[in-house]
Amino acid sequence: MKTARISTTDVAYVEKGSGVPVLLLHGFPLDHSMWSSQIDALADRYRVIAPDVRGFGQSPLGIVDEVAGILMVQYADELAEFVDAVAVKEPFVLAGFSMGGYIAWQFVRKHDQRLRALIQCDTRAAADTEEARAGRIKMAENVAEWGSGRVAEMMGPKLFAPSTFEKKPDLIAAVRQVVERTPPAAIAAAQRGMAARPDVTTLLSTITMPTLILVGEHDAISTPAEMRSIAEAIPKAQFVEIASAGHMTTMENPTAVNDELLRFLGRV
Ligand code: MLT
């Protein structure tokens, strides 16, 4: 992987191909590898850039306010620094997955002049319920003692469609390994930031760029119904449901996701 220096850390990233830049932002508590299939599929025609968000994968966490964690808007501002650092000069396509999507909303809010188009996969526009927020804070407070392996156990069943569990044990193991390797401090910082994230529903009607909203048909975290309503609120959004996939669409049904991404990118 390459690295780029920003004010808070060194960002590790994969870069492949040339053309219009397409930036892929991973979810929690994962890394760029969840986009492996898309990186290969898009690189024939696009400059694909997939960073590890601060603290995840091979990007060091840097200094963090332990009480506040890292807000989604901070990650978004750091993404703006990162695209400058890797010399993305023209408007680019931003694809966010789940937590990457929460960051992408904030990027749209503050830096939309940098974007050509938006792809939001398996993410939400609503803030957390009180119960969900409490769960995140509990994890943030205890993950150092629990270890990241327990987080992998807690999250695993929610991430995949039942058929993936039955038929793709290697995929489940690969995701588990990524979660287990994530430092507890990065998990805590992101959980605190996600707990504090604002509801962005009112942002949706102001998004005028071409937008693709993509979700797995069995996604239990960001449901198809919720994502359809996000698409309906964005003027130029297209909604796509991916068959045979839960939350981890990019890994559970990469062929369908790649086809949809290439179709959308071909139009923008
Ligand atoms: C993710 O995949 O990034 C997480 O499920 C997001 C979340 O915890 O809300």
Side-chain angles (χ1 to χ4, degrees):
M1 288 180 85
K2 301 180 181 180
T3 53
R5 181 91 199 124
I6 61 168
S7 54
T8 48
T9 192
D10 286 324
V11 180
Y13 67 102
V14 167
E15 179 171 13
K16 198 168 175 191
S18 60
V20 170
V22 179
L23 201 137
L24 307 174
L25 267 191
H26 64 79
F28 167 91
L30 304 167
D31 67 9
H32 73 281
S33 64
M34 58 154 289
W35 293 108
S36 293
S37 168
Q38 288 70 41
I39 294 169
D40 290 340
L42 304 186
D44 282 347
R45 290 185 225 166
Y46 301 96
R47 177 184 174 197
V48 187
I49 303 169
D52 282 346
V53 172
R54 173 144 79 107
F56 297 90
Q58 294 184 38
S59 294
L61 181 59
I63 294 169
V64 172
D65 178 332
E66 278 182 23
V67 178
I70 304 176
L71 299 176
M72 299 301 109
V73 69
Q74 280 174 269
Y75 288 124
D77 286 341
E78 290 175 12
L79 181 63
E81 276 187 57
F82 169 72
V83 290
D84 284 340
V86 298
V88 169
K89 296 196 168 64
E90 59 186 297
F92 65 96
V93 181
L94 177 58
F97 171 87
S98 202
M99 183 182 82
Y102 306 154
I103 299 169
W105 296 133
Q106 296 304 317
F107 194 88
V108 169
R109 200 168 64 73
K110 291 192 69 180
H111 308 283
D112 71 331
Q113 76 288 353
R114 308 284 315 248
L115 296 179
R116 176 188 291 260
L118 178 67
I119 300 169
Q120 288 286 49
C121 306
D122 306 273
T123 193
R124 308 187 60 211
D128 281 345
T129 60
E130 277 309 317
E131 192 189 349
R133 203 169 283 142
R136 291 193 195 278
I137 299 301
K138 183 172 174 198
M139 186 185 288
E141 285 172 349
N142 292 291
V143 63
E145 191 186 315
W146 292 348
S148 304
R150 176 146 163 202
V151 174
E153 264 162 42
M154 287 164 75
M155 292 198 65
K158 288 190 222 145
L159 294 177
F160 305 100
S163 60
T164 307
F165 259 109
E166 271 169 40
K167 296 185 197 140
K168 299 184 178 166
D170 293 354
L171 191 159
I172 311 280
V175 171
R176 190 192 170 91
Q177 238 181 35
V178 172
V179 179
E180 282 172 350
R181 279 199 302 254
T182 305
I187 291 178
Q191 280 291 39
R192 290 183 192 282
M194 286 193 283
R197 77 185 194 283
D199 183 304
V200 294
T201 310
T202 56
L203 174 77
L204 304 177
S205 63
T206 70
I207 300 176
T208 52
M209 69 189 92
T211 302
L212 176 66
I213 301 291
L214 183 148
V215 65
E217 65 169 334
H218 301 297
D219 190 337
I221 296 176
S222 37
T223 63
E226 188 171 351
M227 289 218 75
R228 187 183 287 278
S229 70
I230 292 175
E232 283 167 0
I234 300 176
K236 286 189 206 150
Q238 183 201 340
F239 175 76
V240 170
E241 204 171 289
I242 300 293
S244 313
H247 190 57
M248 296 303 306
T249 42
T250 61
M251 300 177 84
E252 293 183 79
N253 193 345
T255 309
V257 171
N258 297 349
D259 287 350
E260 294 296 344
L261 295 188
L262 284 167
R263 222 191 318 270
F264 175 75
L265 290 169
R267 287 200 303 268
V268 301

